[in-house]
Each structure stands twice: as structure tokens, then as C-alpha cells.
Amino acid sequence: MVKNKGKILVIEDDEQMVNFVKKVLEAHSYQVDSAPSAEEGLKKVKELSPDLIVLDVMLETRGEGFITAQKLKSTDPESEYREYSHIPILMLTAINAEMKFRYSPETDGEYLPAEDFVEKPVEPSELVQKVENLLASKAPS
Amino acid sequence: MRPNRKEIEVPASLPLEEELIRQIEWFIRQRWAAGAGSIALFWVMRFVLNLPLPLLPLYAISGSVLAYNFLFHQYAQKLEAATPHRLGSFSRFANVQIVVDWGALTLVVHYSGGIESPLIFFFIFHVIISTILLSQRAAYLQTTLAAFLITLLALIEYYRIIPHFHVLSILSERLYRDPGYLLTFLLFFTGTLYMSTYLTGSVSKRLREREKDLVMLKKNLEQAYHKLEESDVAKSEFVMMVTHELRSPLSTIESTLKLFLQGYAGDLVDEQTKLVRGIEQRTRFLLNLVNDLLHLARVKAEKFKKEKAKINLKEIVERVSRSIQTGLKTKHLNLQIDLPSSPVMLWGNEDEMELLFSNLIGNSVRYTPPGGSISVKMAKENLQVKTEVSDTGIGIATEDSSKIFEEFYRAKNAKKMVKAGTGLGLSIAKKIVETCGGKIRVKSTPGCGTTFTFYLPMDEQ
């Protein structure tokens, strides 16, 4: 199988969920890497410089995913992730997990450090669709 | 603002002190009546009963009683205004009042016939009052003072140190000079005074003890109530934690099962697909159950710590109606929304309000056969907003309508129509309405449709 549609990093502590994302995205010709924690995820971002990051909201602690995304998207010129801040982030959340985090790119984009959300349980077609959209909107730049 | 749960009142001061303060006020009120009543009484005795009463000194005593009562009244107000209240100053004040009363009463008795005076029985009333007001020891001392004053009066009249007023002509004019009668009278009278003190004292002691018990009981109840509240919150928090933990693996299972069904793990044979689909359905049911439990626990827990804001119910209804469009289309249902023209502002939790509307409208979508219609009507009524969610669905049998708001209850016809349901949706809706200080009720004709009507307090300024 040709894996040329893009490099995707999955930061998720649930191994079974990683398998799921891998299975779906690899079937659609993406190259998928994974990291089981926020710390390793950040390391891998530097290592691999992926085209897109799939990030779980709940890692070791609730909301850790948000902190990680905030680090990656920091506008601070001193930030060590400055050169990675353009990488789109797709967040995974449990259904209505935190109702407050119900996401809409138009209204929440300013303060939520992610380009889009997918709710768990994940519908495979929705995941593929969102990944494709994010990579397409990024492509022209 | 929303009505708060009634707090249990805790008395600011000790019950005994409170009681004495109240009773001193009562005592002063009684003296106003006694002073004024004595004026009328003397007049009746003199002019109706034709008793030869010396009215001038008696009216002078009545006047003095009213005058010193005025001073007592002033002083009582001063004592009450002073904070903190001191029990000592109140009981001293009560003692002083009673002593002054004894003086006035002894004079009244003197001018109305000494030991022959029919007014001598007022001593007994006053002993009862003083025993109610004072501690047991002080009450006996006061009674002794009263007995002493009466004895003193009888003796100085007997020895003719002061004149004797003969009032009751049917009695012998020499009665007060009869040592045998005098001794018997004083013995019986003093005995009666002490008996009254004893009886009143034991009754009021029992009453006070009962009051103390009541105060203790109230305190215990309060404590138990707070403990219950705390454990209810703790329980809800526990349920929230557990459901959070359950949801994550369930989501993963559900996602993975979808992989199978959509062929990501290779093609399945028919038999396998059927089995996996069955598992997937059960898993989805579990997920819904966990979500509903989480909502319920959240509503319960947040009764005590809720993030609230001013919200526009119209926006919520519009948002919910957008979210159910797919369901409406697949079942060919017609949704009619009738909202007031101005915003409907309410003080509450946005997520909960959305949950309330999506549960009720969602139910209508679920239990209305294809081609039917659903309507949401909202109208302002005084300071409340009345919302009606009606449908042309399967309806609710009369015997079910009282139970549908119970947790996990599902009506028979509902189970028949939609197999997987948690039976929590309506109890969540009811909890939300009630925590907002509102009311919800249901009207239904089986086979024709159902209308849920609920009222929520508005926050319009």
C-alpha cells in the first residue's frame, strides 16, 4: 500500500483507540505514528514534523490534551514549538464529554487550540473526512 | 432570581434568654391592662356594688402603676436595643418589676379592706406570673416577700398603726381584730401562695425542658439534613466519576466495532456481521445509558454548584431543532416552532437547558410514527415562561403517566416502539426543571399524542 497522502501523529493513551485510528487512516493511505503520552507526543512532533496531529483530550489527566495543544499552538516567539504551530490538530473527545468544549471552528477557533474535533465513539468515515478536509485546507499555503 | 431552598432558622440567642425577653414584653403589656382594668374595677366596686371604697388613693395607685409601667417600658426597650443581650440584666429587671408590683398590690389591698379585701386574690395571680418569669429560687423569694407584706399589712392594721378600711359590710367589722381568724387566714393564704409557686414552677419547668428538647431535636435534624445533602452530592460525584471512567473504554469498543462493520478489518461473512452488529447495538445502548447517568448525576450534583448565566431560551430551542433535523427528515416528521417575538431570558445553566429541550423534543421524535408532527410552543406568562412540547406520537397510558418521570421507568408501548432506551431522559428533564424552580406536567391520549408542559421562572430586567 502506498503511504503518501500525509504523515499523521496520534497522541492517545488508549492503545486500542490508537489501533483504531491507525487502521482507519492507514486504509486511506496515510502514514500513522503514535505516542502514548503528552510528553512523548511533543517529542515526536519535533522528530517527525507531521502533517496533522490527532490528539486525545483526556490523556494522563482530564484536559491534558488541551494543554498539549496550547503548547503546540503557542504564539510566543520564544516557544520551542514555534515552527510546528501551523500543524493542524484534530481533537478526540468523548461524546459531549465536557459540554463546554462543544466545538465550532467559527466561534471557538480563537481560544480553543485545535482546528477541529471528532467525538468518541468515532465514526470512521467522519474521521477520514475531517482529516482530508484539514489537510486540503492546509495544502495551498 | 431563583427561589432558594428554605434555610432552617437558627435562633440568634439562647432559647431561655429569648423567652425571658419575650415574657418581659408580655409582662409589661399585662400591666397596662391591669392598670387600666383596676380603674374600671374600682369604679364598678364603688358605684355598681356600692362598696365604700376610698377612690382617691386607689386611683392614685392605678395612676402610679401606669406611670412606673411607662418607665419599665422605656427601660425594656433600652435593654433590648443593647447587644449582646445579657440574661442577668433581664432577670434583675424582672425581679425589680415584681417587687414594685408587690408594693402597689399591698397598697391596693390595704385601701380595699386589708385581709377582707376581695382583691387579695390578685396576690395569687402575681405569684403565678413571677414564677413563670423567674428562676425557681427567685420565685420562692418573691413569694416570701409577698407573704411577708400581707402579714405585715395584717399586723399593722391589727395593732392599729394604720387605719383599717371596712369595705364588705356583710363581714364583721371586727374580723381583722380577731387573732384566731387572722392566724388561720394568714396560714392558709401563705400556704396558697407557696402552693401556687410550687405548682406553677413544676409545670413551667417541664415546659422549659420540653422546649430544650425541641431545640436539641431541631439542631440534630439540621445536622442530619446537612449530612444527607453532603452525601447526596458525594454520591452524584461518585456516579459522575464512575460514568466518566466507563465511557472511555465503551467509546473505544464502539469505535472498534465500527471498524469491523465497515470492513476495515477485512470482510466479514454474513453470520459474523450479524453478531457484530448485535454487539455494536448493545454497546451503543450502554454508551447512551452511561451518558444519561452522567447527565443525571451532573444535574443533581450541580444543584449545589452550578455555572449559571443569563441565557436566551429561544436560542436554545433553535439550536436543538437544528440538531434533530436528520431525525425529522428520516421519519418525515413536521416540526412547528412557535416562539415569542422578544428574547426569553432566564437565569440558568445553558447545557442543562439544552439537555432539557433535546430530551423532550428528542422523545417526541423517537415516539412519533413517521409522517406525524411535533410542535414547540413557548409563551411568557407573568414572570414565567410556559413551554409546550406536543406530538402526535404513541401517547402515554394513564397508568404510566405518573411513573414516566421515575428513573429507569419505561412505558410498555415505548419499549415496544424503541427497544433501546434508558428510561432516564424524562427524569433528567424533570430534575432540570425543578432545580430551576419550575414545574413540569404531562397530558396524553394513548394513540393520539402527548403534550409536556413546563414552566420556568424568567429573569427579565
Side-chain angles (χ1 to χ4, degrees):
Chain A
M1 203 182 282
V2 200
K3 291 177 179 172
N4 57 0
K5 280 172 79 179
K7 225 189 299 174
I8 293 171
L9 174 64
V10 186
I11 306 177
E12 161 72 87
D13 57 349
D14 181 346
E15 206 187 322
Q16 186 60 32
M17 205 58 212
V18 173
N19 288 339
F20 167 84
V21 176
K22 266 193 177 166
K23 201 93 198 158
V24 173
L25 293 180
E26 280 175 359
H28 288 86
S29 311
Y30 293 98
Q31 182 191 325
V32 184
D33 270 285
S34 69
S37 70
E39 202 188 341
E40 280 188 52
L42 287 170
K43 240 190 261 170
K44 282 219 168 150
V45 170
K46 284 186 183 171
E47 251 171 57
L48 301 169
S49 186
D51 298 307
L52 183 137
I53 300 166
V54 176
L55 179 60
D56 188 22
V57 174
M58 278 190 266
L59 292 168
E60 288 93 72
T61 60
R62 281 171 71 185
E64 174 119 25
F66 277 105
I67 298 167
T68 309
Q70 242 142 16
K71 280 186 190 160
L72 286 168
K73 294 288 181 190
S74 170
T75 50
D76 181 358
E78 303 285 298
S79 162
E80 53 180 316
Y81 304 105
R82 187 93 181 95
E83 53 182 302
Y84 309 104
S85 65
H86 65 281
I87 303 175
I89 296 177
L90 178 61
M91 283 212 143
L92 292 179
T93 80
I95 309 177
N96 298 327
E98 300 310 318
M99 289 182 141
K100 286 266 157 290
F101 298 157
R102 195 187 297 100
Y103 183 74
S104 145
E106 301 89 61
T107 56
D108 301 336
E110 279 173 39
Y111 60 93
L112 283 183
E115 272 70 16
D116 209 346
F117 275 67
V118 177
E119 285 185 349
K120 285 181 186 178
V122 181
E123 185 62 48
S125 58
E126 193 192 349
L127 175 67
V128 173
Q129 191 63 50
K130 290 203 165 167
V131 166
E132 264 168 19
N133 286 349
L134 286 178
L135 288 177
S137 66
K138 194 202 117 193
S141 66
Chain B
M1 302 307 296
R2 34 181 280 106
N4 272 328
R5 197 171 344 100
K6 264 185 202 151
E7 290 294 328
I8 294 168
E9 274 171 48
V10 182
S13 30
L14 292 167
L16 201 67
E17 182 183 332
E18 193 97 307
E19 187 191 304
L20 188 63
I21 295 169
R22 266 202 322 271
Q23 285 183 339
I24 279 184
E25 285 167 2
W26 167 81
F27 192 30
I28 290 173
R29 274 201 307 277
Q30 296 304 309
R31 197 180 290 107
W32 288 124
S38 69
I39 294 176
L41 182 67
F42 298 150
W43 190 87
V44 169
M45 285 170 80
R46 175 69 187 79
F47 297 108
V48 179
L49 302 175
N50 275 323
L51 302 175
L53 281 184
L55 272 188
L56 200 68
L58 284 172
Y59 277 158
I61 296 167
S62 300
S64 323
V65 168
L66 294 174
Y68 73 67
N69 199 39
F70 178 72
L71 295 178
F72 285 158
H73 172 71
Q74 299 287 339
Y75 187 67
Q77 283 191 330
K78 216 177 98 193
L79 267 189
E80 266 178 69
T83 42
H85 287 153
R86 276 177 41 238
L87 191 57
S89 48
F90 275 96
S91 66
R92 246 195 320 279
F93 181 39
N95 271 302
V96 169
Q97 288 183 65
I98 292 164
V99 168
V100 177
D101 284 337
W102 290 136
L105 206 51
T106 310
L107 285 175
V108 167
V109 168
H110 167 60
Y111 284 109
S112 58
I115 58 163
E116 299 160 17
S117 167
L119 303 182
I120 203 163
F121 294 103
F122 286 170
F123 266 81
I124 296 169
F125 298 151
H126 213 66
V127 154
I128 292 173
I129 291 176
S130 93
T131 312
I132 291 172
L133 277 178
L134 302 174
S135 70
Q136 218 164 1
R137 194 168 140 262
Y140 277 107
L141 280 175
Q142 290 285 2
T143 305
T144 309
L145 176 63
F148 169 74
L149 284 174
I150 277 296
T151 312
L152 185 71
L153 178 69
L155 288 178
I156 56 177
E157 281 190 13
Y158 175 80
Y159 287 112
R160 292 187 166 151
I161 299 169
I162 54 168
H164 170 74
F165 293 88
H166 184 64
V167 174
L168 294 176
S169 48
I170 46 164
L171 296 178
S172 153
E173 215 169 312
R174 307 290 304 159
L175 199 58
Y176 78 100
R177 294 283 294 158
D178 184 331
Y181 176 76
L182 200 61
L183 195 65
T184 317
F185 175 82
L186 285 178
L187 262 175
F188 271 92
F189 192 72
T190 312
T192 308
L193 289 188
Y194 279 109
M195 274 305 282
S196 306
T197 309
Y198 169 74
L199 288 175
T200 313
S202 62
V203 169
S204 74
K205 193 177 150 202
R206 279 222 300 273
L207 282 177
R208 262 184 212 151
E209 264 163 17
R210 197 162 302 170
E211 195 177 3
K212 224 187 271 171
D213 285 351
L214 272 177
V215 170
M216 286 301 292
L217 197 68
K218 197 168 140 190
K219 261 192 196 146
N220 289 345
L221 269 177
E222 252 168 73
Q223 277 174 355
Y225 180 73
H226 285 307
K227 261 194 197 149
L228 262 179
E229 262 188 350
E230 276 166 25
S231 71
D232 201 38
V233 173
K235 192 193 78 186
S236 296
E237 275 165 3
F238 176 73
V239 172
M240 274 168 80
M241 199 184 77
V242 171
T243 44
H244 257 298
E245 292 301 312
L246 284 172
R247 195 164 50 178
S248 198
L250 278 173
S251 298
T252 307
I253 295 171
E254 169 80 5
S255 305
T256 310
L257 288 170
K258 281 180 178 166
L259 281 186
F260 282 103
L261 290 171
Q262 293 179 21
Y264 283 94
D267 290 333
L268 304 181
V269 297
D270 281 357
E271 185 68 15
Q272 288 167 328
T273 308
K274 217 171 124 192
L275 288 173
V276 175
R277 186 155 286 143
I279 301 172
E280 194 266 339
Q281 271 166 9
R282 303 304 287 156
T283 311
R284 197 148 27 125
F285 169 75
L286 272 181
L287 258 173
N288 287 338
L289 181 63
V290 162
N291 278 327
D292 278 355
L293 275 174
L294 187 65
H295 289 319
L296 191 64
R298 199 193 295 260
V299 174
K300 280 184 175 175
E302 285 183 352
K303 192 170 157 189
F304 304 98
K305 36 159 199 180
K306 220 179 269 178
E307 286 169 31
K308 286 184 177 175
K310 234 178 157 177
I311 45 179
N312 186 354
L313 275 194
K314 277 173 73 179
E315 285 171 15
I316 305 257
V317 175
E318 278 155 9
R319 203 185 304 157
V320 171
S321 75
R322 271 199 303 276
S323 74
I324 56 161
Q325 287 306 320
T326 345
L328 292 174
K329 262 180 215 157
T330 31
K331 290 185 81 175
H332 303 287
L333 297 171
N334 169 40
L335 174 66
Q336 224 165 13
I337 297 179
D338 184 2
L339 301 176
S341 50
S342 55
V344 182
M345 300 312 289
L346 187 131
W347 183 253
N349 181 292
E350 196 171 347
D351 297 328
E352 278 186 4
M353 280 304 133
E354 195 171 326
L355 195 57
L356 167 66
F357 281 92
S358 73
N359 274 0
L360 289 175
I361 303 174
N363 262 6
S364 287
V365 173
R366 215 165 300 145
Y367 299 113
T368 303
S373 55
I374 298 166
S375 97
V376 179
K377 247 188 248 168
M378 190 178 278
K380 296 181 186 181
E381 270 187 19
N382 299 323
L383 291 169
Q384 300 192 98
V385 55
K386 175 189 182 185
T387 311
E388 284 179 314
V389 178
S390 331
D391 60 46
T392 57
I394 55 171
I396 299 159
T398 324
E399 65 262 30
D400 284 327
S401 61
S402 60
K403 296 183 200 150
I404 49 163
F405 290 112
E406 283 172 22
E407 288 165 23
F408 296 108
Y409 186 83
R410 293 193 74 212
K412 248 188 219 148
N413 57 347
K415 276 188 207 162
K416 213 168 143 192
M417 182 159 179
V418 180
K419 230 177 168 184
T422 60
L424 287 172
L426 287 176
S427 46
I428 293 171
K430 186 170 187 245
K431 284 262 152 45
I432 294 174
V433 171
E434 282 173 357
T435 51
C436 286
K439 266 187 192 144
I440 184 166
R441 56 165 196 255
V442 62
K443 238 185 181 170
S444 180
T445 314
C448 288
T450 306
T451 301
F452 283 96
T453 308
F454 58 94
Y455 295 83
L456 294 168
M458 283 196 293
D459 186 14
E460 308 240 282
Q461 281 167 16

